Amino acid sequence: MESPANPGDSLVELELTVENVESALYQLYFDPDMERKNVAQKWLTQAQASAQAWQFCWALLAPDKLPEVQFFGASTLHSKISRHWSDLPTDQHDTLRMQLLSHILHFSSGPKMVLTRLCVALASMALNLIPQAWSQPVADMVRAFQPQKPDCESGSGSEATQDPQAHCLALLELLTVLPEEFQSRRLAQARCDQLREALAGEWAVVCPLLRQLLQSQDSSNQVKEKVLRCLSSWTGLDVTLGDSHELVQDCFTALSNPELFDTAVETIVTAISQPDSQRYIDALVTLMPLVLGLHDQLKTAAQDGAMETSHGICRIAVAMGETHSRVLLEQVEHWQEYLALVNMILFCTGIPGHYPVSETTSSLTLTFWYTLQDDILSFDEEKQAVYLQVYRPVYFQLVDVLLHKSHYPSQEEYASWSSDDKEQFRIYRVDISDTLMYVYEMLGAELLSNLYDRLGRHLMDPQLSAVWQDTEALLFGFQSIAETIDVNYSDVIPGLIGLIPRINISNAMLADTVMYTIGSLAEWLADHPVMLGGILPMVLQGLVKPELSVSSVSTLKRICRECRHDLSPYAQDILTVSQDVLVKEIHKSSQCMWLMQALGFLLSALPVDEILGRLHSLITPHIQRLDTLAQQEPDPTNKQAMVHILGMLSSLFTTLDIRHTDSLEAASSQILSASQSTPNPVVVVLQQVFTLIQTILSKWLDDSEVVEAVCGVFDKSVRTLLHDFGPMVAHLSEMLGQIYSAYPQFSALDLARQMVHIFSGEEQHLSNIRSLVEVLTSVTLNLFQQGPRDHPDIAESFMQLHAQILKRKPELYLSEQLDVKGLFYCGILTLKFPETPTVKAATQFFTELLPRCKDMPSLGEVLQRDGKLLTETILQAVGGESPRSLTEHFSEVLLSLNRHCPALLAQWLKETLQSPGFPSAHVSSEQKHTFSQQLLREQTNKRRVKEIVKEFSLLCRGLQGAG
């Protein structure tokens, strides 16, 4: 192709000629300049839409043109036929059809991309004419191509001398794209139903042709593959298995041909996976022997390591077994065949090799076992008993297979796996675990007994126990079940707990599973505390090993949470080992946090007079380290170390709650007597480190991460201690005010919100809370005056704080130091933020504030003055300035306004909505009036108000009916 004479920007003014179209295509495909490509693309799109396109497209299909030009010509034809069909006079339809058929015959030998587009164009034309103007399209197409006869009568003599196989392939391409084009068209439902019915009637012509070609010795692999793809395409058109099962049977012969295998699998799976196939029981029964006949080929493939073959056959077996499980179970006279299919799928589940490295088939089968079990258990009791007699033994075999498949490879082999393979194997084991848990519903206690007996025999035999993978798999089975099923009444758990200490945990992967198994039995241990003595040493032994970090720490945490009231005899050992691993920094930061939470549970259950001493012993090394860091000049390394220690304290104080005990009477008397002499141990520690924390803040006040970590320590303490935190309120209120005044940060506001929630109702703390709120409000209002858009987190937390104040202690708004007008305006500004959580917080603030306006004159005055602005802001947001997802929250503010000041709202709606184009040019005056009337009628029905506001919002956005 030659370069255009006048390329570039001048293209837009060019006349629509074949030469200019070619020039534009050259520019689109070969010009390196993206801007010029875009100009060409735009011009070509306009050219396709023009009336002249009906003519120039044929010239572009001339034999001497480049394939890219021919492809554009074919695409243009399709575009005109599918989008501009009404432009073509009816008397030209036959001519167009003959031209298309002729060109398809001509391009039957290629290029393939041009042939396919021409076939799609003819298919599109057929869909426009069926059934009135073209009653038998498929029969006409077959006649035109005569795939089995070289002396084809259609077309010119030159086409008739072409390869008949090429004509046959072209016909098959046409028959394949016909249903696909139908699926891709957007049609009115009535027209869609009419076409679907008409095309389904054409299957009577298509099916014998496909069968003939598939059975013919003369058909090449290329033709047979096209036949298979054609069947898949028509299956998508809801051709039923009843109408296609003979052809589907023929497809099984293609499975012995390696070149056709993959396509044949796809076709068969598509055909038998149709849900409505269940209606064609005879067809399914006929296909069953063919599926079972693949078992030998499957075994050979598995033996030879032919992964693709075994994978394909497995897909067919699972499609048959899973899609039609219930129907096939009900065919009692064929029960042996279905049982054989189930056993074939069981073979697939247990296929040799390690997933995902040497096999990828077994994972396909797991959902089948859920389906079969659900179907069996859905029968009435009498039938169920019969099926269970047959299938319970299969499910016991399945457990053995799944445990074997969950085996780790040797450590050497596992080390050679990629990280992606290891992650896939981890997910695979999770899937197996879920399956085992589900299977327990069918097999019940006998399954646990079975696992226990095998584990016992295994551990008693030195030769067997030397293979750590077997031990690990059995424990993995126990853990899978115990993690989600209540095993407290199982009679094998005591024996299992007795066996676990016999396990050699020198192998890390086995040790990991041992830890998780113990963790899954934590609730059982809480009911049987006498067994703790044999188990805890193993957990503590795992705690000192970095490779067992996650499993050992999470298990200790579960034990400390569930069994804390029985851990007193072991507390010193737990604390000693834990302190040692923390000081030696054996675990990563997140595991250290878990460990501190575990120790918080442990300390909570100790006698109150012991807690402080043990607490000091635990945290003193970390406080000393924190003190050392605080004296040093700030640098990133020091910062991370400080944040880590503060995080550990937060985690500890999250769970250290002396009020949590099972014996409430004993606990309350114990705490009462203790509290008369000493305050809460956590408060004592906080008071002791308060000066140190102030030192840290003096150097790191402008670092949000450090301030957040400091606030986290107090936040977790307040949440856990509640009113016991009282002695700290005065100091903390003063410090928070200083922090926020120097450097406003959202974490200080969130902590203040917790303090308002808990202490605003206590008279002795009210003055401190009031002073804190006044300082935080004053500083934030100044920040808003400077421009709040850079601080959405502060705006969000500030709105949440004041929503909490209005909910818990609205009297704080009576303070003359609180700028209520400024607060109201801050709320309005926050409604305009782009961040969803921030806007949500502002709407919560207003829904708390508006009900108070009647009782509090200062709020009432502000509402009178700025209520119209609030209404206008919400209408703007609803009208399109805010995401649609927030409409529901804005509707709550409108409902609150209507509930508490309906007359004012009516006035404000009238004044704001009368402005032309407000809140959107898409809504008329009548629609705005209707919205106002509907809204003002609803003062109680929150759901109805949401619907009204949502509908108005859609109207404003030009999305009527979008829902």
Side-chain angles (χ1 to χ4, degrees):
M1 184 190 294
E2 292 185 10
S3 178
N6 300 304
D9 296 336
S10 61
L11 188 58
V12 271
E13 286 89 32
L14 287 180
E15 185 186 349
L16 254 177
T17 64
V18 173
E19 293 73 21
N20 289 337
V21 171
E22 287 192 71
S23 295
L25 284 167
Y26 183 95
Q27 192 167 306
L28 177 66
Y29 286 122
F30 305 112
D31 196 314
D33 187 326
M34 280 307 298
E35 195 172 332
R36 287 155 64 86
K37 280 179 181 287
N38 291 336
V39 170
Q41 174 77 55
K42 187 176 178 183
W43 188 85
L44 287 166
T45 302
Q46 291 169 349
Q48 272 191 328
S50 70
Q52 297 97 304
W54 285 108
Q55 283 75 46
F56 74 64
C57 61
W58 298 111
L60 298 176
L61 286 163
D64 60 338
K65 302 298 182 186
L66 281 177
E68 290 85 356
V69 175
Q70 294 170 333
F71 178 77
F72 183 77
S75 294
T76 300
L77 257 176
H78 175 241
S79 175
K80 299 305 290 182
I81 291 169
S82 59
R83 296 176 192 169
H84 306 278
W85 181 246
S86 59
D87 296 347
L88 190 71
T90 308
D91 60 4
Q92 293 183 26
H93 289 178
D94 283 345
T95 305
L96 176 62
R97 181 167 65 183
M98 295 311 296
Q99 281 180 294
L100 272 170
L101 282 167
S102 174
H103 277 76
I104 289 171
L105 286 165
H106 173 77
F107 281 99
S108 60
S109 298
K112 174 73 165 60
M113 62 179 182
V114 181
L115 172 66
T116 298
R117 293 315 290 170
L118 287 170
C119 288
V120 172
L122 183 56
S124 187
M125 182 180 180
L127 295 176
N128 289 331
L129 297 174
I130 295 172
Q132 291 87 352
W134 197 357
S135 58
Q136 296 180 315
V138 172
D140 292 345
M141 291 172 189
V142 172
R143 245 191 320 275
F145 285 86
Q146 294 295 309
Q148 292 297 309
K149 296 178 183 178
D151 54 336
C152 184
E153 295 171 9
S154 286
S156 64
S158 62
E159 277 119 359
T161 59
Q162 288 183 15
D163 179 6
Q165 174 171 293
H167 284 196
C168 182
L169 288 169
L171 173 62
L172 289 169
E173 179 71 15
L174 184 53
L175 295 178
T176 301
V177 300
L178 182 59
E180 292 170 356
E181 179 67 4
F182 169 71
Q183 302 279 20
S184 67
R185 289 279 282 267
R186 290 185 178 180
L187 300 163
Q189 189 59 51
R191 177 62 177 153
C192 184
D193 293 341
Q194 182 188 37
L195 274 176
R196 188 182 295 278
E197 185 180 347
L199 288 172
E202 295 293 293
W203 178 246
V205 180
V206 176
C207 186
L209 172 65
L210 297 184
R211 289 201 71 191
Q212 177 190 351
L213 291 172
L214 198 56
Q215 292 173 355
S216 171
Q217 298 292 323
D218 298 330
S219 295
S220 66
N221 283 344
Q222 201 177 356
V223 168
K224 289 182 177 179
E225 183 176 10
K226 205 71 197 165
V227 168
L228 294 167
R229 294 189 188 281
C230 190
L231 171 55
S232 286
S233 178
W234 282 81
T235 302
L237 198 63
D238 298 339
V239 168
T240 68
L241 189 63
D243 292 331
S244 66
H245 71 96
E246 291 177 331
L247 178 54
V248 175
Q249 289 177 54
D250 296 339
C251 293
F252 277 83
T253 60
L255 292 169
S256 58
N257 185 329
E259 288 184 36
L260 300 177
F261 181 83
D262 290 343
T263 311
V265 167
E266 289 296 336
T267 303
I268 293 168
V269 168
T270 301
I272 62 180
S273 294
Q274 289 174 283
D276 77 331
S277 299
Q278 297 181 5
R279 293 189 289 130
Y280 304 98
I281 295 168
D282 290 344
L284 290 171
V285 169
T286 307
L287 289 173
M288 182 70 88
L290 296 173
V291 178
L292 294 176
L294 300 172
H295 205 157
D296 288 341
Q297 189 179 351
L298 171 66
K299 287 178 180 175
T300 304
Q303 191 176 340
D304 297 343
M307 286 171 64
E308 289 183 6
T309 303
S310 54
H311 195 86
I313 295 173
C314 175
R315 285 185 61 201
I316 293 171
V318 169
M320 177 65 97
E322 191 172 334
T323 312
H324 310 296
S325 170
R326 188 178 180 90
V327 168
L328 293 171
L329 280 169
E330 288 173 336
Q331 306 314 302
V332 181
E333 65 276 19
H334 298 285
W335 71 271
Q336 287 175 310
E337 286 187 354
Y338 188 56
L339 179 59
L341 179 65
V342 171
N343 280 312
M344 184 175 173
I345 296 172
L346 182 63
F347 176 85
C348 294
T349 306
I351 204 157
H354 273 113
Y355 183 93
V357 175
S358 51
E359 68 92 1
T360 55
T361 299
S362 57
S363 62
L364 300 175
T365 66
L366 297 181
T367 55
F368 163 76
W369 300 108
Y370 287 75
T371 304
L372 177 59
Q373 179 174 316
D374 285 347
D375 286 336
I376 290 172
L377 296 181
S378 69
F379 287 114
D380 61 58
E381 284 188 27
E382 190 177 339
K383 272 189 178 181
Q384 201 180 112
V386 175
Y387 286 117
L388 286 174
Q389 193 174 356
V390 175
Y391 287 102
R392 265 175 66 90
V394 176
Y395 271 82
F396 274 112
Q397 289 179 57
L398 173 66
V399 171
D400 291 346
V401 166
L402 290 175
L403 292 179
H404 182 73
K405 292 299 293 183
S406 71
H407 275 199
Y408 280 96
S410 68
Q411 285 178 290
E412 297 76 25
E413 186 184 342
Y414 190 67
S416 70
W417 284 14
S418 68
S419 57
D420 186 49
D421 286 339
K422 288 177 180 176
E423 176 59 12
Q424 283 194 56
F425 182 60
R426 184 193 68 77
I427 294 168
Y428 176 65
R429 278 173 54 101
V430 170
D431 292 341
I432 287 177
S433 176
D434 291 343
T435 309
L436 288 169
M437 178 270 292
Y438 206 75
V439 165
Y440 179 82
E441 186 183 349
M442 179 183 276
L443 302 183
E446 192 180 342
L447 172 56
L448 288 177
S449 299
N450 184 302
L451 292 174
Y452 171 68
D453 291 343
R454 288 175 59 186
L455 183 64
R457 289 195 302 273
H458 193 82
L459 292 176
M460 296 303 173
D461 186 329
Q463 282 187 312
L464 290 175
S465 58
V467 184
W468 65 268
Q469 286 96 334
D470 291 339
T471 309
E472 192 278 335
L474 288 165
L475 283 173
F476 173 72
F478 264 114
Q479 179 218 329
S480 300
I481 296 161
E483 201 66 67
T484 46
I485 305 293
D486 183 4
V487 295
N488 279 5
Y489 303 104
S490 170
D491 55 2
V492 304
I493 302 301
L496 174 62
I497 295 287
L499 286 175
I500 285 176
R502 293 174 170 271
I503 299 171
N504 179 349
I505 61 170
S506 57
N507 178 279
M509 287 178 274
L510 172 58
D512 239 357
T513 304
V514 169
M515 292 298 146
Y516 285 126
T517 305
I518 294 171
S520 70
L521 298 171
E523 288 183 35
W524 186 91
L525 287 166
D527 292 336
H528 306 83
V530 70
M531 307 298 281
L532 281 165
I535 286 293
L536 265 173
M538 287 192 85
V539 179
L540 297 180
Q541 186 185 341
L543 202 63
V544 302
K545 298 182 177 182
E547 65 272 21
L548 301 181
S549 180
V550 175
S551 59
S552 62
V553 173
S554 65
T555 296
L556 182 63
K557 180 182 171 183
R558 291 177 78 168
I559 289 174
C560 288
R561 184 180 64 219
E562 302 297 336
C563 311
R564 56 187 159 201
H565 302 295
D566 300 295
L567 291 177
S568 189
Y570 317 104
Q572 189 56 53
D573 288 345
I574 296 171
L575 286 164
T576 301
V577 175
S578 299
Q579 179 68 312
D580 187 48
V581 299
L582 288 169
V583 170
K584 290 178 179 174
E585 298 182 352
I586 285 174
H587 302 292
K588 291 180 180 176
S589 183
S590 55
Q591 276 73 58
C592 291
M593 305 305 157
W594 293 357
L595 184 51
M596 290 303 261
Q597 287 177 14
L599 299 177
F601 286 126
L602 174 68
L603 291 171
S604 299
L606 296 179
V608 175
D609 53 358
E610 282 185 33
I611 295 176
L612 188 58
R614 292 191 184 275
L615 182 57
H616 269 136
S617 170
L618 172 63
I619 66 173
T620 296
H622 307 290
I623 299 298
Q624 289 172 346
R625 170 84 172 127
L626 194 61
D627 194 14
T628 304
L629 292 166
Q631 306 309 320
Q632 297 172 4
E633 286 304 308
D635 71 54
T637 309
N638 292 351
K639 171 184 158 180
Q640 289 310 314
M642 281 196 299
V643 169
H644 174 73
I645 294 169
L646 290 167
M648 288 204 301
L649 293 175
S650 297
S651 298
L652 178 65
F653 297 156
T654 300
T655 55
L656 208 172
D657 184 1
I658 61 175
R659 297 167 305 134
H660 282 183
T661 180
D662 288 346
S663 176
L664 292 175
E665 290 181 13
S668 58
S669 61
Q670 183 188 38
I671 293 168
L672 188 63
S673 61
S675 63
Q676 289 167 351
S677 53
T678 56
N680 190 293
V682 173
V683 173
V684 174
V685 170
L686 288 174
Q687 288 171 330
Q688 290 169 349
V689 301
F690 200 80
T691 307
L692 170 57
I693 285 174
Q694 287 179 310
T695 304
I696 292 169
L697 288 172
S698 67
K699 293 186 177 182
W700 292 90
L701 195 55
D702 60 346
D703 190 293
S704 61
E705 197 177 350
V706 174
V707 172
E708 193 175 341
V710 167
C711 290
V713 173
F714 292 105
D715 184 69
K716 296 296 189 293
S717 305
V718 170
R719 289 170 185 267
T720 306
L721 300 181
L722 302 177
H723 298 284
D724 286 357
F725 189 83
M728 291 296 300
V729 171
H731 291 303
L732 184 56
S733 297
E734 185 182 355
M735 187 182 81
L736 270 182
Q738 291 169 350
I739 291 175
Y740 198 76
S741 299
Y743 199 83
Q745 296 186 34
F746 76 92
S747 49
L749 293 170
D750 290 344
L751 178 51
R753 177 159 50 93
Q754 286 302 320
M755 293 174 69
V756 166
H757 178 67
I758 295 163
F759 297 108
S760 60
E762 297 185 15
E763 195 59 39
Q764 70 269 35
H765 299 305
L766 190 55
S767 62
N768 290 312
I769 298 295
R770 179 183 288 111
S771 299
L772 174 59
V773 168
E774 288 169 359
V775 170
L776 297 178
T777 303
S778 173
V779 172
T780 309
L781 292 181
N782 286 332
L783 187 69
F784 264 77
Q785 286 177 347
Q786 296 161 24
R789 276 292 170 91
D790 294 336
H791 307 285
D793 50 353
I794 289 177
E796 179 186 343
S797 295
F798 185 60
M799 289 290 105
Q800 289 172 338
L801 168 63
H802 275 277
Q804 185 70 268
I805 292 167
L806 288 161
K807 184 184 285 188
R808 303 289 292 187
K809 200 69 176 175
E811 300 91 280
L812 291 177
Y813 269 59
L814 298 173
S815 167
E816 292 182 3
Q817 306 301 316
L818 210 63
D819 183 356
V820 178
K821 292 178 184 176
L823 272 168
F824 197 93
Y825 191 63
C826 273
I828 290 174
L829 284 178
T830 308
L831 286 172
K832 298 182 178 183
F833 272 53
E835 292 81 8
T836 296
T838 309
V839 177
K840 207 177 195 179
T843 62
Q844 288 168 348
F845 164 69
F846 281 112
T847 51
E848 291 294 341
L849 181 142
L850 292 170
R852 314 284 179 193
C853 289
K854 281 184 183 175
D855 305 329
M856 303 179 74
S858 58
L859 290 180
E861 288 172 21
V862 174
L863 182 63
Q864 287 273 1
R865 194 190 73 168
D866 288 329
K868 180 182 173 183
L869 180 60
L870 171 62
T871 306
E872 186 180 317
T873 303
I874 289 174
L875 290 174
Q876 278 179 324
V878 167
E881 285 202 0
S882 290
R884 282 168 58 191
S885 58
L886 287 170
T887 304
E888 170 179 326
H889 302 289
F890 291 124
S891 70
E892 290 179 9
V893 181
L894 288 171
L895 175 62
S896 192
L897 280 166
N898 198 25
R899 194 177 280 170
H900 301 291
C901 49
L904 287 170
L905 178 62
Q907 179 188 331
W908 295 330
L909 285 172
K910 185 178 179 182
E911 292 172 5
T912 53
L913 289 175
Q914 70 184 10
S915 302
F918 179 87
S920 161
H922 289 291
V923 283
S924 64
S925 299
E926 291 78 9
Q927 288 170 322
K928 289 192 276 189
H929 178 72
T930 302
F931 165 68
S932 295
Q933 295 306 305
Q934 288 178 330
L935 182 64
L936 292 168
R937 274 199 296 269
E938 296 294 342
Q939 292 190 341
T940 54
N941 191 333
K942 184 187 285 190
R943 183 185 59 78
R944 178 64 186 134
V945 171
K946 285 180 182 177
E947 289 173 359
I948 292 165
V949 176
K950 179 184 177 184
E951 185 58 37
F952 184 65
S953 180
L954 291 172
L955 285 171
C956 289
R957 297 166 199 262
L959 298 170
Q960 299 98 311

